[in-house]
Amino acid sequence: MIQFKGVDITFFDGKYPFHAVKNVTFDIEDGEIFGIAGGSGAGKSTLLRTINQLQKITGGSVNVNGQDVKSLKHKDLHKLRRKIGMIFQHFNLAESKTVYENIAFSLEDAGWKKADIEKRVNELLEFVKIVDKKDVYPSRLSGGQKQRVAIARALANNAEILLCDEPTSALDAETTNSVLKLLKEVNQKLGVTVVIITHELDVIKSICNRVAVMKNGEVVELGDVYDVFTNPQHEFTKELLNHGQNFKLPEEVIENVSDDIFKLTYKGDGATESILSEVTAANNVKFNILHGKIEYIASKPLGILFVTFNGSQNDVFRVTQELQKKIFKLEKLA
C-alpha cells in the first residue's frame, strides 16, 4: 500500500516560495491501477516522484508497504527503488545501448548473474512482445516500441509498483491503446500496482480503478473512476470532464428546434436498456433523438441522449417524472 499523509512540498526560488503540493492525503491499494489527473502545473508529477523519493517532501509522510520513505537511509532506499519501476513520457532509453542492454542494465547494477539476466530479459521481451527487437537500438524503434522497452526495463527487478509519468502523451491513439492494454496486463498478470499520472482523461477512463483529481497542488476530488466521471462533485472536475468529453448539442440544432430539449443521462445497465421507448410508449408520447452516445468508463457504460417529446402537456409531464425515477439524470435545457 502507498499512503500519502498530509504531504506538503514547497520549492524556494529566491524570495518567493512555491507551494507545489498542499496537504495531500489518500491511499493507493495494493494491486490497483490508480490515476492522478489534472492540468499542467497541478502537482501530479511532483507528487508521483515522492513515492520513490526522487522528490523530497517538505511536510507530512509517504509510506510504501509500511515504510516511511523519507526516513530510509541510502541502502534501504536503494533496495526500495528496485521494487518501484518508473516509465516516462519520452521513454528515457539509453540511445547507445540495444534493447537487450537497456533492459539488462538495472539487473547488472543489482548484481544478477549473467545467465539469470539473459533469462529474465528474454522473459520480459516476450511479455512486452518485442522479441524481434532484442538487438535493435532505440533510434530504430517506434514510439510504442520504445515504451514497451521502458516498461520491460521498469519491471526487470520484479517490480511491485510501476509509476507512469504521462506514459502515452507522446503516442498516437492506436499506439496509446496498445500500451494501455499492456499496462493492464502488467497489473492483472503480474499483480503490479500501477500509478498513472496524466492530463488525458481517456487514459483514466480506460484502465484505472480509482482517481485523484488535482488542481493547484491540492486533491479536489477522489474516488472510484466511474463515480467521479459520471457524477463529479467539484467544479474543476466538471470543467475537466466537459472539456474532455466535448459532447454537447450543436448550437445550430438548438436554433432549429422549437420544442423543449431534454438531456437524459444513463448509468450502468440503464445505458443499454430501452427505458425511453417503454416509458414514452406507455404514455402515448413520441420522442425524437437529436444527439446521443454511449461511452465506457472503467468498462461500465454511460449513455447521454438529447431528445424532444411530442404529446400532450400532461403526457409529456408524466414521461419526464417517470424517467427521473428510472434513469440517472434528466435535465431540461434552458
Side-chain angles (χ1 to χ4, degrees):
M1 178 184 288
I2 302 166
Q3 297 174 301
F4 300 101
K5 297 180 180 179
V7 174
D8 275 284
I9 300 171
T10 301
F11 297 114
F12 295 92
D13 183 12
K15 298 179 181 179
Y16 306 103
F18 173 64
H19 209 169
V21 174
K22 308 169 186 175
N23 194 30
V24 167
T25 299
F26 65 85
D27 296 345
I28 298 174
E29 301 292 337
D30 289 340
E32 74 173 327
I33 305 180
F34 191 95
I36 303 175
S40 178
K44 307 184 303 296
S45 293
T46 303
L47 183 65
L48 184 81
R49 291 162 67 88
T50 65
I51 297 172
N52 57 1
Q53 278 292 277
L54 291 179
Q55 173 61 55
K56 303 296 183 181
I57 62 176
T58 309
S61 66
V62 180
N63 296 317
V64 178
N65 296 331
Q67 293 181 300
D68 182 348
V69 296
K70 185 178 180 180
S71 67
L72 295 178
K73 303 303 180 183
H74 178 75
K75 183 178 179 181
D76 290 332
L77 180 57
H78 192 57
K79 183 178 179 181
L80 176 71
R81 284 174 173 168
R82 285 178 179 168
K83 293 298 180 182
I84 303 177
M86 193 166 187
I87 62 173
F88 306 87
Q89 177 180 356
H90 296 297
F91 323 119
N92 288 18
L93 301 178
E95 294 293 328
S96 60
K97 296 181 182 292
T98 65
V99 166
Y100 180 95
E101 291 168 341
N102 265 279
I103 300 170
F105 179 77
S106 64
L107 299 175
E108 293 167 351
D109 181 62
W112 285 48
K113 295 179 181 179
K114 186 175 181 180
D116 293 335
I117 291 174
E118 184 172 359
K119 180 182 178 182
R120 179 61 175 158
V121 173
N122 287 331
E123 287 174 351
L124 289 163
L125 288 170
E126 186 171 344
F127 182 80
V128 301
K129 299 178 177 63
I130 50 169
V131 175
D132 59 325
K133 305 299 181 183
K134 179 178 179 178
D135 299 316
V136 174
Y137 288 90
S139 61
R140 297 182 60 189
L141 299 176
S142 67
Q145 290 167 342
K146 289 179 181 179
Q147 198 60 290
R148 288 174 180 270
V149 177
I151 291 170
R153 181 185 59 186
L155 296 173
N157 273 299
N158 297 304
E160 298 171 359
I161 297 170
L162 181 61
L163 308 180
C164 308
D165 191 347
E166 298 279 5
T168 60
S169 293
L171 307 176
D172 60 38
E174 183 177 353
T175 308
T176 290
N177 290 335
S178 69
V179 169
L180 293 179
K181 181 180 178 182
L182 176 58
L183 289 175
K184 187 176 284 190
E185 290 176 357
V186 168
N187 172 255
Q188 294 177 343
K189 295 181 179 180
L190 304 181
V192 174
T193 301
V194 179
V195 186
I196 299 177
I197 65 165
T198 181
H199 65 277
E200 299 174 303
L201 297 184
D202 284 343
V203 170
I204 302 290
K205 291 178 187 178
S206 177
I207 67 169
C208 292
N209 308 118
R210 291 192 302 136
V211 61
V213 180
M214 293 189 69
K215 179 184 180 183
N216 296 332
E218 297 181 285
V219 172
V220 297
E221 193 146 2
L222 172 71
D224 177 87
V225 166
Y226 192 75
D227 292 339
V228 170
F229 277 50
T230 58
N231 190 27
Q233 300 300 305
H234 195 276
E235 285 304 315
F236 178 69
T237 311
K238 293 176 183 178
E239 290 173 14
L240 272 182
L241 292 172
N242 287 336
H243 178 73
Q245 287 176 338
N246 192 28
F247 186 74
K248 61 181 181 179
L249 198 59
E251 289 296 327
E252 55 268 27
V253 173
I254 297 175
E255 292 172 359
N256 291 323
V257 175
S258 57
D259 296 325
D260 290 333
I261 299 174
F262 295 87
K263 179 183 178 182
L264 283 58
T265 303
Y266 301 79
K267 286 177 63 175
D269 293 338
T272 55
E273 294 175 356
S274 56
I275 297 172
L276 177 61
S277 298
E278 293 171 1
V279 171
T280 51
N283 289 281
N284 197 34
V285 170
K286 295 182 179 180
F287 64 91
N288 180 36
I289 297 177
L290 304 175
H291 201 28
K293 73 167 183 177
I294 295 179
E295 67 173 327
Y296 285 81
I297 301 171
S299 301
K300 300 176 185 177
L302 171 70
I304 298 174
L305 289 178
F306 292 94
V307 303
T308 59
F309 296 117
N310 184 7
S312 70
Q313 186 175 354
N314 287 337
D315 290 340
V316 170
F317 178 76
R318 281 198 306 273
V319 165
T320 60
Q321 293 301 297
E322 287 189 38
L323 286 174
Q324 284 180 334
K325 297 176 183 177
K326 294 187 176 184
I327 68 174
F328 175 64
K329 188 185 297 184
L330 182 143
E331 303 165 86
K332 181 179 177 181
L333 301 191

